[in-house]
């Protein structure tokens, strides 16, 4: 299966970092070295390609990182890639460095960058889904989602303790500007009474009515999980709306805590399997693909299709079943 033209591959981590990116780097480097490939790690995502900032990664350079959050390569949002000149420069630099193939670990934006690059560069490109938001098509799960979820769930449990002690309404804001995956799964797993996500129109009147019903049914403490992008103004607006009806609230914004920490088992597993699969795919001559997990299988989906996949929405039927669960 060896691709005779493949000698030197580049790898980068881009966009919002996600727990498990290091585990993925380890799997990529070890698999590549096993197959006698040289690996160049670009620092801080596409910025490293543009500035020529990179390091050679050998098998030992990825020792003892499988359990570490963040990314040893660093990440960045690199605005230059939004312009043709930036993409052309990245392509020129990759060519100059003799890179035969590039592996991009990141979210939606990073995959857009990979597609743009493929229009100016003839090397092979494979993307790997790395974002806590789980908002990328072409894969059921993204690296980092499971860890972020556990962090958010832990926060809900802790808030419930103090909410119970004071009979209070707590609002927890979790990440997800455009995607409600974290909020939805955290809300279900944590037994939240209400879950607000960007995929569902925000209706303050409904929330108020339900809070009154909960209280009438003897529920004292209430937890509302709010995705960052659930409504204009985020959790602060929700607090204003609820307080406007005479209910006292407390608000907690979880923020970047969700991005850090040691990856949980499922993220390490996903990162490792997809890392190996991505290198095997390069060796098989594949390009412009996302290496993802669909069901139990590793799958290659064309990057453009993965980006266009509108079916990868969070399962909003969970909002309906939460009506039973919150009774
Ligand atoms: N439409 C695009 N065209 C080219 N490059 C892009 C595009 N969108 C994003 N990128 C590149 O990918 C980087 C990461 O994207 P971003 O959306 O910030 O994070 P993520 O990959 O986690 O979704 C951006 O900073 C930029 O360098
Ligand atoms: O760290 P920043 O730049 O403030 O971005 C925060 C955003 O990044 C994320 O953590 C991850 O999003 P991306 O994968 O799109 O980068 C979002 O949940 C959050 O809205």
């Amino acid at each position: 299966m060896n691709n005779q033209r493949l000698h030197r591959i580049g790898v980068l981590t881009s966009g919002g970092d996600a727990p498990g990116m290091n585990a993925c780097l380890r799997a990529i480097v070890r698999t590549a070295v096993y197959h006698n490939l040289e690996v160049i790690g670009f620092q801080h995502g596409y910025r490293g390609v543009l500035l020529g900032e990179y390091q050679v990664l050998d098998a030992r350079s990825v020792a003892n990182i499988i359990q570490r959050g963040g990314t040893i390569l660093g990440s960045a949002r690199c605005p230059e890639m939004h312009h043709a000149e930036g993409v052309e420069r990245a392509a020129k630099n990759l060519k100059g460095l003799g890179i035969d193939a590039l592996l991009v670990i990141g979210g939606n934006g990073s995959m857009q960058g990979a597609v743009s690059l493929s229009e100016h560069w003839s090397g092979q490109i494979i993307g790997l889904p790395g974002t806590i938001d789980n908002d990328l098509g072409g894969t059921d799960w993204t690296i980092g989602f499971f860890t972020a979820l556990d962090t958010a769930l832990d926060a809900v449990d802790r808030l419930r303790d103090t909410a119970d002690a004071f009979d209070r309404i707590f609002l927890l804001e979790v990440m997800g500007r455009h995607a409600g995956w974290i909020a939805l799964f955290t809300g279900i797993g944590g037994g939240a009474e209400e879950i607000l996500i960007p995929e569902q129109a925000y209706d303050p009147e409904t929330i108020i009515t339900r809070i009154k019903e909960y209280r009438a049914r003897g529920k004292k403490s209430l937890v509302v999980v709010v995705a960052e992008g659930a409504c204009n103004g985020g959790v602060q607006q929700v607090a204003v709306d609820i307080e406007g009806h005479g209910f006292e609230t407390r608000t907690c914004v979880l923020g970047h805590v969700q991005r850090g920490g040691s990856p949980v088992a499922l993220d390490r597993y996903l990162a490792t399997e997809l890392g190996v699969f991505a290198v095997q795919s390069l060796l098989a001559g594949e390009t412009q693909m996302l290496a993802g997990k669909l069901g139990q299988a590793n799958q290659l989906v064309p990057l453009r299709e993965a980006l266009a996949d509108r079916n990868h929405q969070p399962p909003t039927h969970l909002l309906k079943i939460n009506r039973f669960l919150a009774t």
Side-chain angles (χ1 to χ4, degrees):
M1 84 170 181
N2 265 14
N3 175 352
Q4 300 298 324
R5 287 172 306 166
L6 193 61
H7 300 290
R8 177 180 269 199
I9 69 171
V11 61
L12 57 84
T13 49
S14 165
D17 55 289
M21 280 183 164
N22 280 326
C24 193
L25 286 171
R26 169 182 175 271
I28 286 168
V29 172
R30 296 267 167 95
T31 307
V33 169
Y34 179 90
H35 289 92
N36 298 314
L37 302 176
E38 190 184 355
V39 187
I40 302 293
F42 290 100
Q43 285 153 9
H44 297 105
Y46 291 112
R47 193 205 296 169
V49 180
L50 290 176
L51 299 180
E53 291 176 352
Y54 59 88
Q55 62 199 88
V56 175
L57 298 173
D58 63 16
R60 297 284 74 76
S61 68
V62 290
N64 202 16
I65 64 168
I66 195 169
Q67 76 282 23
R68 284 175 55 192
T71 155
I72 58 163
L73 288 180
S75 190
R77 305 199 193 270
C78 173
E80 289 90 336
M81 286 294 286
H82 290 277
H83 309 289
E85 310 85 74
V87 181
E88 280 162 17
R89 185 145 53 92
K92 190 165 163 252
N93 289 355
L94 288 172
K95 217 170 153 193
L97 284 168
I99 305 286
D100 302 308
L102 184 68
L103 293 175
V104 176
I105 309 171
N108 265 301
S110 304
M111 298 311 134
Q112 295 276 5
V115 168
S116 302
L117 202 48
S118 70
E119 287 160 8
H120 295 84
W121 182 60
S122 58
Q124 290 168 258
I125 301 187
I126 302 265
L128 294 110
T131 166
I132 64 164
D133 285 355
N134 202 40
D135 60 347
L136 195 51
T139 187
D140 289 342
W141 309 110
T142 60
I143 298 162
F145 173 62
F146 297 108
T147 307
L149 208 52
D150 273 11
T151 304
L153 207 50
D154 181 57
V156 171
D157 291 347
R158 288 168 190 271
L159 291 178
R160 180 67 81 176
D161 288 346
T162 175
D164 257 354
F166 273 76
D167 295 343
R168 267 179 174 150
I169 302 174
F170 261 90
L171 311 181
L172 172 67
E173 182 180 281
V174 298
M175 277 190 162
R177 281 181 289 210
H178 309 292
W181 284 90
I182 297 178
L184 200 46
F185 280 59
T186 300
I188 294 291
E193 277 69 25
E194 294 296 326
I195 306 168
L196 306 180
I197 60 174
E199 292 81 1
Q200 180 100 339
Y202 171 60
D203 175 18
E205 292 311 316
T206 304
I207 306 299
I208 307 301
T209 306
R210 287 184 188 163
I211 288 175
K212 287 178 182 164
E213 285 169 6
Y214 293 135
R215 283 281 154 89
R217 290 206 298 269
K219 274 202 160 198
K220 299 281 172 40
S221 77
L222 303 176
V223 173
V224 182
V225 177
V226 184
E228 262 178 319
C231 63
N232 286 336
V235 75
Q236 307 302 346
Q237 182 58 49
V238 181
V240 166
D241 292 339
I242 295 176
E243 297 229 338
H245 285 76
F247 296 103
E248 190 188 11
T249 65
R250 288 291 183 276
T251 294
C252 173
V253 178
L254 202 51
H256 288 78
V257 167
Q258 291 157 98
R259 284 246 293 267
S262 179
V264 299
L266 269 176
D267 276 326
R268 296 186 199 193
Y269 157 72
L270 183 67
T272 299
E273 224 195 352
L274 292 184
V276 172
F277 177 55
V279 175
Q280 287 176 324
S281 302
L282 288 180
L283 288 164
E286 298 287 353
T287 186
Q288 295 183 43
M289 296 284 175
L290 180 85
K293 179 72 82 180
L294 292 173
Q296 293 292 318
N298 298 324
Q299 295 279 353
L300 291 177
V301 174
L303 278 169
R304 281 192 172 80
E305 274 179 36
L307 287 167
D309 179 7
R310 297 281 162 242
N311 292 325
H312 189 71
Q313 295 284 315
T316 46
H317 75 275
L318 291 178
L319 293 175
K320 294 202 183 90
I321 67 168
N322 207 43
R323 304 303 336 121
F324 316 148
L325 302 170
T327 297

